[in-house]
Amino acid sequence: MRRMSPIRRIAETARSHEEGVWQVAGRVAVLLPLAALVFAVSVLAVKAYPAIRVNGWGFLTGTKWTYGGGYALPVHTDGVAHPQGSSFGALTIITGTLQSSAIALIIAVPVSIGAAFALTERLPTWLSRPLGFAIEVLAGIPSVVIGLWGLLTLGPILSRDVYPIIGNHMPDVPVLDFFRGTPAATGQGLFTAGLVLGLMIIPIIASTTRDLFNQVPPLPKEGASALGMTEWEVANKITIPWVRSGIIGASVLGLGRALGETVAVALVSGSAIHFAPNIFGQMTTIAATILTQLDGAQTDGTGFAVATLAELALVLAVISVLVNLAAGVIIRRTSALVPSVGPT
Amino acid sequence: MAVSVRKPDMRRRTIAGLLFRVGTYLALLLVVGPALWVLIGVVVRAVPHWQWSVLTTPTKGTTGGLENAIIGTLILMFGVLIIAGSTGVMAGIYLSELAKPRRNGKPSGGLFRTASDVLSGFPSIVLGYCGYVALVVGLGWGFSLLPALIILSIMVVPYIAKSTESALRQVPNNYREGAAALGMSKGYSLRKVVLRSAIPGIVTGLLLALAIACGETAPLIYTASFTDAIPSASLIHSQGFAYLTYPVFTFYNQPAPEAHYLAYDAALLLVIIVLILLVSSRLIVARTQRHSESQGR
Amino acid sequence: MRMPRVKRMAPACLLATSVALMFSAAFAGSAGASKSAVETPSGGTVSETGSTLLYPLFNLWSSGYSEKYPSVTIQTAGTGSGTGITDATEGTANIGASDAYLPPSDLETTPTLLNIPLAISAQLVTYNITGVTAHLKLTGKVISNIYQGKITNWNNSAISGLNPGVTLPSLPIVTLHRSDSSGDTFLFSSFLSDTDPNGWGKTVGFNTSLTFPNAPGALGEMGNSGMVAGCKATPGCIAYVGISYLTQALQSGLSYASLQNGDKQFVLPAAASIAAEAAAFTKKTPANGTISLIYGKAKGGYPIINYEYAIVNDKQSSSSTAKNIRSVLEWAVNSADGNNPTYLAQVNFQALPASVAAQSLKQIKNIK
């Protein structure tokens, strides 16, 4: 029998067991992100442990965030060294994170669905191709560039021409009075942060939604039109429910990006560690706080400031998990009602 | 009688339909407008001071050109394509084609999905800092290419896996059934039939992920730092590695106007690289589609 | 009252000083031999990361040094002081550049770290008030009250009282602070703590990262350029920026304040006033360089200046690396080389006083 080179033999074996090879490679690939997450979370947990012990539950409920006198001699609590007078309550930061991401989602989901609808159902191909390209362009612009644009160009214009219209004319009643207020001249604040975040997650949601709309078979839509449904009713009753779970899945991915986005938010949020008094007020998010404070935290020789930022990152991870679980519940409820295609 | 009830109802429905139509166009405008606005803003700032020597000279502190950063960014993107691309595409294939549904009929890989959603929600700087603690210092690799590649890849694998999976789910099931009926093994039909039809979606996802990767700053500062040197062949111990987002952010924060010009140039170059990527992906997609269609007929 | 900080951290200073003394005693022979000369390096790479304020100067030094000693490449990166300190501690960079001296906690965990003064910088307090181009006279106490939200309009009598003859409009004050942690925030908050010890000093304090009081409309900006751009866009703003951004600030239409020093004079930042302030602290500068140069009593001294530091681990991985680092730093503090105005003036920095430079040199010799 002809002798095969080892490589050739491996190749032959691989071909004859092709499905098995795919299975093994696929399993390894699926495990890698899990391993990466375990790696990141364990590095953080080790770093954060002293902070979790000292900060306690007050970390989630407190609103006072101060590094204390880093240049005074450190003090010890429960055997953990930390700067004198340091006190960390992250409720304002957590609130700012949720607020800005919520605004981003409220803006991005309808805009993404609308744009995807216009691209797939309304416009001729010669027009929808180049316009659809804009979605990918938006996704490709580095976040630091979008952040600088938000700070230097978009923010000042909104603050001068748009925000006063809202801020001065909203009725002074509960809930709506959150929209009353005077914006900063640079536009830095919750609204701009949410808007810029929204812009950054639109590509994620819109590109998936567009693909999903393309998968909806034409027959049900045509049938609905034949029954006299208007365009809106076809979209609302047929097309969107058909792909609802896919849209929710894409929205969750977008929400993840919004929760974790750093540079752009740090630039346009005003980075204030307190509750935004109104929608134009300055605030900050977990990711922006970590970005802006990590450098200074490293000057704290006790390591407590870095530990606290690691704890903050863990809180964000927990928020992400909760958001995911919630999305899973929503998807399960909706997909029980309608047939579904697309990623979940 | 029935007609008089229907009439106002019909008008309401027509108006709703009209509003919806206007709304979709407005939504599209809200996507296209800012994208163009940002692009034009970058061009307007960069072009007046543009010098071609930027392409052929490395940075010298906050002056000089961007040659080292351009090469570095291209290498990073290539590396991410290899590491994250292979992992992400394989993970997507597994989730869509290979994983057996669990007994209760739900698709498997739920843990993976949660993990990748959480990963994609991690602030990039946190992953960068983990990379610093574990790879740069822990394993003693120093500021270099490999830790940067690993961290960037971890960041974008979830996007690639998700887009691959959804591209594969768009492939009609009768392709798979047809292949099976022809006696193809599952692996062979996957390679020759299913994957081929999913290529456009997979490529788009890959390129978006690459675009996200090459636009990151914070994780790279903690894993690659920066250097004026042209990137060398070494994966570790290179004492710094250059990339384009560093000049955008750091040079913008410098007092000298020349540094600002370089920051704008770097932003322009990043945007151009992304545009080239996107256009070429469109061309690839168009070609494969034409190819597969002509084969199919 | 002045410099309460030095007193508070005395034990740590003592510890660090005695460590430094031990080392200088051990290596006294070699330290004395080549006092002002720059060693010839053994060749290779010296990496520097850290302060973005020192970054442009280090770049100028890098090219100047390499002209004389082409066998050494200096790699620089502006990453922020804290990262520079960590890099120097972990050995991922040879030199960490920092605007602030090391806190005692850092010296406690890593006693082998040196902070070596390299040059002197200063800080501007800038503002953008429509129609006012004059240099406003401001005291630290007034600025402290502005940043605490107690003074909220430019026409407040506390400000106009200091500035007779200047017509101040009724314009709400918008305080800008750095959102990223920064040596600039450290200097600014040190100045407010020293001038308003019972107010700012007690409630806010000083640090590189600070939670600023909730003054109406207070805005956080990233980086000195962010401060300048934000102030330009916001009539009524007040901001603090490093003196190397003077040209950028003026081009953006900002003016800067004349600040009251410990001698109760109002002084503008300039080469002479920075040198005068530095001279007052020369004798007090301890061997390990940890001292704040804020709010001195010097006649005609500008009250917000600081040493820019190189943070270096005195135990390097190899003797040739140590030699390269020594050579670079010796060159940098040498008045004929790195501390020459040809380099410093480009970023509005000032040279180290001779005796401080000699102390730095002594510390440099301890890098082994």
Side-chain angles (χ1 to χ4, degrees):
Chain A
M1 208 181 118
R2 193 166 50 93
R3 278 181 60 149
M4 281 193 288
S5 75
I7 296 171
R8 181 99 188 258
R9 198 180 314 155
I10 291 170
E12 288 280 313
T13 327
R15 197 161 302 150
S16 55
H17 296 86
E18 189 165 345
E19 198 194 334
V21 174
W22 281 109
Q23 280 280 358
V24 171
R27 255 170 224 203
V28 170
V30 165
L31 282 178
L32 280 179
L34 276 175
L37 187 67
V38 170
F39 152 73
V41 168
S42 37
V43 168
L44 288 176
V46 169
K47 280 264 163 198
Y49 177 66
I52 296 172
R53 262 182 58 194
V54 172
N55 293 334
W57 288 108
F59 190 69
L60 299 178
T61 53
T63 55
K64 192 175 173 217
W65 183 277
T66 167
Y67 293 90
Y71 278 75
L73 279 179
V75 293
H76 291 77
T77 308
D78 298 342
V80 176
H82 62 91
Q84 241 175 56
S86 69
S87 161
F88 297 101
L91 186 61
T92 55
I93 305 173
I94 296 168
T95 309
T97 309
L98 297 178
Q99 283 173 326
S100 56
S101 290
I103 294 174
L105 213 54
I106 289 170
I107 292 168
V109 171
V111 168
S112 299
I113 294 176
F117 196 86
L119 286 174
T120 54
E121 314 282 312
R122 299 269 342 143
L123 295 174
T125 318
W126 63 268
L127 200 57
S128 73
R129 278 237 170 117
L131 288 179
F133 195 58
I135 294 179
E136 269 115 73
V137 171
L138 199 56
I141 299 171
S143 55
V144 53
V145 173
I146 292 204
L148 286 174
W149 170 78
L151 176 69
L152 302 174
T153 310
L154 179 70
I157 290 177
L158 290 177
S159 168
R160 196 189 60 211
D161 299 329
V162 180
Y163 291 169
I165 300 173
I166 306 169
N168 297 336
H169 297 98
M170 271 291 165
D172 197 1
V173 294
V175 181
L176 285 184
D177 62 0
F178 190 66
F179 292 82
R180 289 171 64 87
T182 318
T186 50
Q188 284 168 297
L190 177 55
F191 205 153
T192 313
L195 208 59
V196 168
L197 277 179
L199 272 182
M200 300 183 73
I201 65 172
I202 280 175
I204 295 172
I205 305 175
S207 60
T208 312
T209 310
R210 182 183 52 186
D211 295 346
L212 291 171
F213 281 169
N214 276 330
Q215 291 172 53
V216 179
L219 226 66
K221 289 189 277 185
E222 284 162 9
S225 296
L227 284 174
M229 281 195 188
T230 65
E231 198 176 18
W232 157 241
E233 285 157 349
V234 174
N236 190 33
K237 301 235 160 77
I238 309 287
T239 317
I240 294 174
W242 201 282
V243 296
R244 183 170 287 151
S245 64
I247 294 179
I248 296 173
S251 304
V252 171
L253 198 64
L255 180 60
R257 176 112 202 259
L259 289 168
E261 173 52 42
T262 47
V263 179
V265 188
L267 285 165
V268 300
S269 64
S271 302
I273 304 184
H274 57 67
F275 294 116
N278 54 58
I279 200 161
F280 309 110
Q282 288 74 52
M283 36 64 71
T284 188
T285 67
I286 292 177
T289 304
I290 295 173
L291 174 76
T292 55
Q293 311 290 297
L294 180 56
D295 184 63
Q298 292 179 71
T299 61
D300 171 16
T302 64
F304 193 76
V306 171
T308 299
L309 292 181
E311 187 181 2
L312 204 53
L314 286 178
V315 170
L316 185 61
V318 171
I319 293 177
S320 295
V321 172
L322 291 180
V323 163
N324 251 280
L325 293 179
V329 170
I330 297 172
I331 289 174
R332 230 165 292 142
R333 285 221 179 133
T334 51
S335 56
L337 303 173
V338 282
S340 160
V341 288
T344 48
Chain B
M1 196 61 212
V3 174
S4 65
V5 173
R6 270 192 63 132
K7 244 188 184 168
D9 184 43
M10 193 61 218
R11 188 176 303 145
R12 198 175 51 82
R13 289 172 57 201
T14 319
I15 290 172
L18 197 69
L19 279 179
F20 175 67
R21 187 180 297 187
V22 172
T24 57
Y25 287 135
L26 199 67
L28 189 59
L29 189 72
L30 282 176
V31 178
V32 178
L36 283 178
W37 194 358
V38 176
L39 282 190
I40 292 168
V42 169
V43 172
V44 163
R45 278 175 195 269
V47 165
H49 306 285
W50 176 262
Q51 281 170 332
W52 289 102
S53 62
V54 161
L55 301 178
T56 52
T57 29
T59 50
K60 198 168 165 26
T62 55
T63 57
L66 295 167
E67 189 195 358
N68 52 337
I70 297 168
I71 297 175
T73 289
L74 293 177
I75 294 176
L76 277 174
M77 290 167 71
F78 182 72
V80 168
L81 186 65
I82 302 290
I83 299 180
S86 54
T87 315
V89 169
M90 272 316 299
I93 292 172
Y94 180 81
L95 290 175
S96 162
E97 307 294 317
L98 302 169
K100 295 176 180 73
R102 283 184 297 177
R103 216 174 284 158
N104 55 10
K106 274 186 253 164
S108 71
L111 196 58
F112 167 84
R113 273 174 250 269
T114 310
S116 63
D117 282 354
V118 172
L119 261 187
S120 70
F122 251 51
S124 53
I125 188 174
V126 172
L127 288 179
Y129 188 73
C130 290
Y132 179 80
V133 171
L135 306 176
V136 176
V137 176
L139 296 180
W141 288 352
F143 293 123
S144 43
L145 175 60
L146 192 58
L149 273 183
I150 291 177
I151 294 303
L152 284 184
S153 297
I154 289 177
M155 278 183 52
V156 298
V157 160
Y159 294 98
I160 300 174
K162 194 142 219 160
S163 58
T164 303
E165 190 192 348
S166 90
L168 285 169
R169 297 218 164 181
Q170 286 179 48
V171 178
N173 244 337
N174 42 16
Y175 281 33
R176 297 181 182 89
E177 286 155 6
L182 287 173
M184 290 187 199
S185 76
K186 194 169 179 188
Y188 186 82
S189 90
L190 180 56
R191 188 151 49 88
K192 290 281 175 188
V193 180
V194 182
L195 265 184
R196 187 160 287 179
S197 351
I199 276 178
I202 295 177
V203 168
T204 311
L206 275 177
L207 290 166
L208 283 182
L210 276 189
I212 291 174
C214 80
E216 277 298 342
T217 324
L220 291 177
I221 283 192
Y222 283 96
T223 49
S225 193
F226 191 76
T227 171
D228 290 345
I230 304 275
S232 65
S234 52
L235 279 174
I236 54 174
H237 298 306
S238 65
Q239 293 203 327
F241 191 85
Y243 47 91
L244 276 169
T245 40
Y246 174 87
V248 179
F249 195 60
T250 310
F251 291 10
Y252 168 74
N253 255 322
Q254 285 298 313
E258 297 77 26
H260 291 187
Y261 301 155
L262 273 187
Y264 301 144
D265 289 348
L268 179 66
L269 285 170
L270 271 174
V271 166
I272 289 175
I273 290 178
V274 169
L275 285 179
I276 291 175
L277 266 181
L278 295 178
V279 170
S280 52
S281 81
R282 280 296 162 106
L283 293 178
I284 294 171
V285 168
R287 268 195 88 139
T288 47
Q289 273 177 337
R290 208 179 312 142
H291 187 61
S292 64
E293 270 162 29
S294 65
Q295 257 194 349
R297 266 164 210 163
Chain C
M1 209 66 257
R2 197 163 58 85
M3 304 297 312
R5 190 154 56 260
V6 174
K7 248 177 262 157
R8 221 180 320 152
M9 55 175 292
C13 268
L14 252 156
L15 180 84
T17 317
S18 58
V19 168
L21 277 176
M22 253 160 58
F23 277 104
S24 49
F27 303 113
S30 63
S34 53
K35 198 157 183 194
S36 63
V38 177
E39 279 175 82
T40 311
S42 40
T45 312
V46 171
S47 56
E48 178 265 350
T49 64
S51 161
T52 47
L53 200 61
L54 198 52
Y55 184 51
L57 180 60
F58 237 102
N59 287 326
L60 297 170
W61 281 349
S62 162
S63 21
Y65 178 85
S66 298
E67 260 168 43
K68 204 165 167 186
Y69 301 102
S71 68
V72 171
T73 322
I74 305 180
Q75 291 189 344
T76 59
T79 56
S81 299
T83 309
I85 294 170
T86 307
D87 287 344
T89 312
E90 302 286 1
T92 43
N94 301 127
I95 301 169
S98 174
D99 309 327
Y101 52 84
L102 291 172
S105 54
D106 266 323
L107 292 169
E108 207 171 68
T109 32
T110 321
T112 51
L113 287 185
L114 305 170
N115 33 185
I116 307 165
L118 294 180
I120 291 175
S121 173
Q123 186 170 79
L124 308 171
V125 173
T126 64
Y127 47 85
N128 173 5
I129 310 170
T130 326
V132 176
T133 50
H135 297 294
L136 286 183
K137 289 177 179 156
L138 294 174
T139 66
K141 177 99 196 210
V142 165
I143 299 174
S144 160
N145 283 333
I146 290 175
Y147 269 85
Q148 289 178 76
K150 291 177 187 165
I151 297 175
T152 56
N153 198 299
W154 282 109
N155 68 6
N156 188 293
S157 59
I159 303 172
S160 54
L162 294 171
N163 294 282
V166 181
T167 323
L168 286 161
S170 167
L171 183 66
I173 303 178
V174 178
T175 60
L176 303 191
H177 58 260
R178 289 284 291 277
S179 59
D180 51 335
S181 47
S182 151
D184 297 290
T185 298
F186 173 77
L187 298 176
F188 183 69
S189 55
S190 296
F191 176 63
L192 299 190
S193 292
D194 285 356
T195 50
D196 184 15
N198 294 321
W200 188 277
K202 281 220 175 98
T203 55
V204 189
F206 60 95
N207 211 333
T208 49
S209 303
L210 215 56
T211 306
F212 277 80
N214 195 356
L219 289 178
E221 305 286 351
M222 279 188 93
N224 273 308
S225 287
M227 290 287 259
V228 172
C231 208
K232 183 186 179 184
T234 314
C237 75
I238 182 166
Y240 52 91
V241 294
I243 195 162
S244 35
Y245 294 78
L246 176 63
T247 318
Q248 206 186 340
L250 293 177
Q251 278 169 355
S252 304
L254 312 183
S255 307
Y256 56 99
S258 159
L259 299 178
Q260 192 186 48
N261 66 16
D263 198 31
K264 304 294 165 207
Q265 295 166 300
F266 288 93
V267 184
L268 281 171
S273 60
I274 295 169
E277 172 91 355
F281 287 99
T282 308
K283 278 204 183 120
K284 290 179 202 150
T285 304
N288 70 352
T290 50
I291 187 175
S292 154
L293 311 184
I294 301 287
Y295 201 47
K297 279 213 167 106
K299 210 174 171 102
Y302 181 74
I304 316 184
I305 71 163
N306 67 299
Y307 292 133
E308 290 289 323
Y309 295 93
I311 310 293
V312 185
N313 201 323
D314 66 13
K315 286 197 176 53
Q316 289 295 321
S317 55
S318 75
S319 61
S320 69
T321 312
K323 194 171 192 187
N324 290 334
I325 300 171
R326 285 201 304 270
S327 173
V328 168
L329 293 177
E330 283 159 1
W331 184 91
V333 299
N334 195 340
S335 60
D337 298 315
N339 250 262
N340 193 280
T342 42
Y343 296 104
L344 300 179
Q346 295 189 46
V347 286
N348 301 325
F349 281 20
Q350 300 299 322
L352 292 175
S355 64
V356 177
Q359 284 185 354
S360 290
L361 210 54
K362 240 182 206 160
Q363 289 205 72
I364 294 167
K365 297 284 181 206
N366 286 333
I367 304 167
K368 297 287 165 182

